[in-house]
Amino acid sequence: MDISKSRESVTTDRGQDSQLVNGLAEAPRGKSEHTEQYQFDVIVIGSGPGGYTSAIRCAQLGKSVAIVERDLLGGHAVNWGCVPLNSMIASARLIRSIHECDRYGIRIPSYRIDFSYIARHRDEAVKKVRSQVKHFLDKYHIQVYTGNACIVNPHHVLVKPVQKRTYATIRDANGHSPYETSDYTSVRADVEITGNNIIIAAGVEYELPQFVEKNDRKSVDPTELLWRRTIPESLVIIGGGVLGCEIASLYSHLRSNVILIDKNSRLLKCMDEQVSFAVETCLKANGVNITLNANVERVANGEVIIQLHQANIQRTIRGALVVVCVGRKPTFDYKYLEQLGIRIDHERSTIITDEKTCETSIRTIYACGGIVSSCWSWVSCAVRQGHITANAICCVSENTNNPKFHMATNPAAPFVINVIPAVASVGEIPKSTDNVLIYMYKFHTDRRAIIDSQTWGFVKMWTTSDEPKRFLAVQLAHEAAAEIIEYYSMIISLNLSIRDVCFLSFAHPTYTESVKEACEYVLGQSMNYDENLRL
């Protein structure tokens, strides 16, 4: 792939216009020093799921692509969030299996948790996934610049040297910095690159709220917690959303005394009440102390002062460590982007884009991932938006309606919350119950669940009342939730009727077979499921 590079020195007067979008340093003021200039078809800011997906897809479609990343390749999800968290949750699931092994005729009278090996497993998982991302960027000749990206105008990006590593104090299981890799070499001087299109996929970052005392050594964000080399004896978690519940589930299985605080009347406000209650029940059964309806007023030195809503009582909760799972913010400056002409939804803290193309209000600038979607926690949303963005850019540049550049709008992006057992969701729960039917399928008669002694759990389904019935949304709680939800996602995405699913064949005995059984139950044709049957 030819990438034209002009090594002529250029001087540009940017005045006060340049502003940092993906980094910590300030953009230049007045006249800049001489910088090298490079020309690409597409410039992608950020190498997380939305960034590397859009970059690779553009390259596959014949475009010359550059990625600007201020941190490690793979972004937050690969290095600091999804991958390290879930590699540790895999260890926690094995701990749970040991607790339940008696029911399978296996006796393990005692065991020991060696956190150093759990941490090494975490480190290896992160390195392998990051290496995988790098492999595909190299395979498609995508130029990577490690530095802070400043959008100069709709076609120019200035890459500045990194002045501060995002998590400079973090060490892996061997005491080494994750930044000790050949993949992380910042540009040494300003580099100006030019692109026909720019994709902003800079994601979000943590910012401790104002109620946390500055420089408090006992207060950390989730990344700093996950990369610690020891398990805290006691842990106070602020925030009962997705991340707070996952961390509570993980560390309670690692034998930490966990207290979970949330301002709402229930956990997981993004989920159905019955699913939320199921998660709360499981967390409590594993020893998590949950305090709801509580406003956090101050956090300092392991002490959390809360105000209970209903009782109007102030309490102090103490822990060896406090992890704050609220207060994430985008890595770009709203004010400057608005000055460029990009519209911002301040209420949702997102860039406003066309849902079908991910194009911003500036024709040459697109955006995807956490800075666009209110469901920024779900990597699947970022990946899909990356595909949409790349295809839209290539469709416009080729001035064609070629079907290979198009993707159908998909309202059914599934997501999984990796508590133990897991919960999952797909589709949007209807706000009105008019012409909507609701069904509940439980796993107590499922053949695979009986074989595995995993009969706890349920599937809650919202369907149309008109014939032929179709799914509107599905949420479930079960050990195999992550695998089962994929089938419901495909059913909704392909607009299959529930009757169509009943004619499909599923392998036996499997958990996914429950999808067909649930559909038969909805139609009143069940041959294996009876909600009143107790075995």
Side-chain angles (χ1 to χ4, degrees):
M1 183 179 298
D2 292 331
I3 301 176
S4 61
K5 297 181 178 180
S6 172
R7 296 189 177 273
E8 298 176 4
S9 296
V10 297
T11 303
T12 53
D13 187 353
R14 297 178 181 81
Q16 303 295 321
D17 290 339
S18 296
Q19 176 69 29
L20 179 66
V21 171
N22 181 27
L24 300 173
E26 292 184 358
R29 297 183 178 182
K31 291 188 177 181
S32 71
E33 297 180 357
H34 288 0
T35 61
E36 291 182 331
Q37 185 170 4
Y38 298 79
Q39 175 72 42
F40 298 91
D41 293 324
V42 181
I43 300 170
V44 182
I45 299 174
S47 68
Y52 68 69
T53 298
S54 58
I56 292 171
R57 182 61 178 152
C58 283
Q60 288 175 337
L61 294 172
K63 303 300 179 184
S64 60
V65 183
I67 277 186
V68 183
E69 172 57 64
R70 69 172 183 176
D71 209 61
L72 296 172
L73 284 177
H76 188 92
V78 170
N79 298 285
W80 315 119
C82 180
V83 173
L85 172 61
N86 284 285
S87 68
M88 294 170 69
I89 288 175
S91 298
R93 292 189 187 281
L94 289 175
I95 294 172
R96 176 174 177 266
S97 296
I98 291 172
H99 289 170
E100 297 178 343
C101 68
D102 275 5
R103 69 173 68 169
Y104 304 103
I106 300 171
R107 300 294 175 86
I108 302 178
S110 65
Y111 67 94
R112 182 173 64 91
I113 297 174
D114 190 331
F115 188 70
S116 65
Y117 280 88
I118 293 176
R120 285 189 178 91
H121 170 65
R122 172 203 66 202
D123 300 344
E124 286 303 311
V126 170
K127 289 176 183 177
K128 288 178 180 178
V129 177
R130 187 168 65 230
S131 177
Q132 183 185 51
V133 173
K134 184 179 185 300
H135 168 79
F136 280 95
L137 295 181
D138 291 343
K139 178 180 178 179
Y140 290 102
H141 309 290
I142 296 170
Q143 179 69 51
V144 177
Y145 294 93
T146 301
N148 293 314
C150 311
I151 297 181
V152 178
N153 59 46
H155 291 287
H156 292 80
V157 172
L158 186 68
V159 186
K160 295 180 64 64
V162 174
Q163 301 298 323
K164 181 181 177 183
R165 295 172 177 176
T166 307
Y167 289 102
T169 61
I170 284 177
R171 295 292 182 271
D172 63 20
N174 296 318
H176 300 142
S177 169
Y179 293 100
E180 295 175 9
T181 167
S182 59
D183 301 336
Y184 185 81
T185 304
S186 175
V187 295
R188 295 183 178 182
D190 291 359
V191 178
E192 182 175 315
I193 55 178
T194 303
N196 297 329
N197 292 280
I198 298 171
I199 302 173
I200 306 174
V204 293
E205 62 186 353
Y206 293 112
E207 182 180 57
L208 293 180
Q210 292 183 349
F211 58 67
V212 180
E213 188 176 85
K214 288 185 178 180
N215 302 318
D216 183 11
R217 294 185 178 181
K218 290 189 176 182
S219 297
V220 298
D221 66 33
T223 290
E224 293 169 316
L225 171 69
L226 293 176
W227 281 83
R228 287 179 71 89
R229 299 170 68 185
T230 58
I231 303 171
E233 181 180 351
S234 57
L235 180 65
V236 180
I237 302 171
I238 299 175
V242 174
L243 196 52
C245 289
E246 289 182 336
I247 289 175
S249 184
L250 167 62
Y251 280 87
S252 61
H253 279 84
L254 294 177
R255 297 180 179 173
S256 185
N257 295 317
V258 178
I259 300 173
L260 179 59
I261 302 170
D262 193 72
K263 66 180 181 180
N264 297 304
S265 59
R266 65 181 178 90
L267 303 176
L268 296 174
K269 291 287 286 185
C270 62
M271 301 292 282
D272 175 72
E273 278 191 47
Q274 286 178 286
V275 176
S276 171
F277 181 72
V279 171
E280 182 178 340
T281 301
C282 290
L283 290 176
K284 286 181 176 178
N286 206 48
V288 178
N289 188 325
I290 299 175
T291 300
L292 301 173
N293 295 305
N295 278 335
V296 176
E297 298 192 340
R298 186 169 178 269
V299 178
N301 198 33
E303 291 188 348
V304 181
I305 300 174
I306 63 172
Q307 185 80 26
L308 299 176
H309 296 178
Q310 298 172 338
N312 197 26
I313 297 174
Q314 193 176 79
R315 285 178 53 193
T316 299
I317 297 174
R318 296 175 176 85
L321 203 65
V322 178
V323 57
V324 183
C325 296
V326 297
R328 297 187 78 174
K329 68 170 187 176
T331 59
F332 54 83
D333 185 287
Y334 287 135
K335 187 179 295 186
Y336 176 69
L337 291 182
E338 286 183 309
Q339 290 174 359
L340 282 177
I342 296 176
R343 294 175 59 212
I344 302 294
D345 183 337
H346 290 277
E347 183 177 349
R348 297 172 59 208
S349 296
T350 57
I351 294 176
I352 297 174
T353 61
D354 183 325
E355 291 184 0
K356 295 182 179 179
T357 63
C358 290
E359 184 181 293
T360 70
S361 46
I362 295 181
R363 186 176 56 83
T364 61
I365 300 180
Y366 295 73
C368 63
I371 56 171
V372 170
S373 175
S374 58
C375 67
W376 54 261
S377 293
W378 325 128
V379 171
S380 56
C381 285
V383 170
R384 178 161 184 82
Q385 288 167 355
H387 277 281
I388 291 173
T389 302
N391 286 4
I393 287 173
C394 294
C395 183
V396 170
S397 65
E398 298 290 337
N399 192 24
T400 179
N401 288 318
N402 191 322
K404 77 173 183 177
F405 295 132
H406 292 279
M407 293 181 69
T409 302
N410 181 6
F415 63 85
V416 180
I417 301 175
N418 285 297
V419 289
I420 303 173
V423 297
S425 176
V426 66
E428 186 174 347
I429 297 176
K431 295 180 180 179
S432 171
T433 56
D434 294 343
N435 301 317
V436 174
L437 299 176
I438 302 175
Y439 298 89
M440 181 80 77
Y441 170 91
K442 299 179 181 179
F443 284 91
H444 62 277
T445 62
D446 181 81
R447 305 287 171 82
R448 182 76 253 175
I450 292 172
I451 292 169
D452 290 348
S453 293
Q454 296 291 346
T455 54
W456 178 90
F458 61 87
V459 182
K460 190 167 183 178
M461 302 163 282
W462 290 260
T463 77
T464 60
S465 59
D466 297 334
E467 295 291 345
K469 289 188 177 70
R470 286 180 164 82
F471 288 121
L472 299 170
V474 177
Q475 294 194 3
L476 67 144
H478 189 264
E479 183 71 21
E483 284 69 39
I484 297 171
I485 199 65
E486 302 291 350
Y487 282 77
Y488 287 106
S489 173
M490 287 187 283
I491 291 167
I492 296 174
S493 301
L494 296 173
N495 197 30
L496 296 178
S497 72
I498 295 175
R499 188 173 300 279
D500 290 336
V501 180
C502 292
F503 291 121
L504 299 177
S505 295
F506 288 77
H508 174 81
T510 61
Y511 285 116
T512 53
E513 198 175 16
S514 67
V515 176
K516 180 177 181 178
E517 293 175 355
C519 289
E520 291 175 341
Y521 168 64
V522 167
L523 298 180
Q525 300 172 355
S526 178
M527 290 173 276
N528 295 304
Y529 177 73
D530 188 332
E531 59 185 329
N532 298 315
L533 178 61
R534 292 292 178 267
L535 301 175

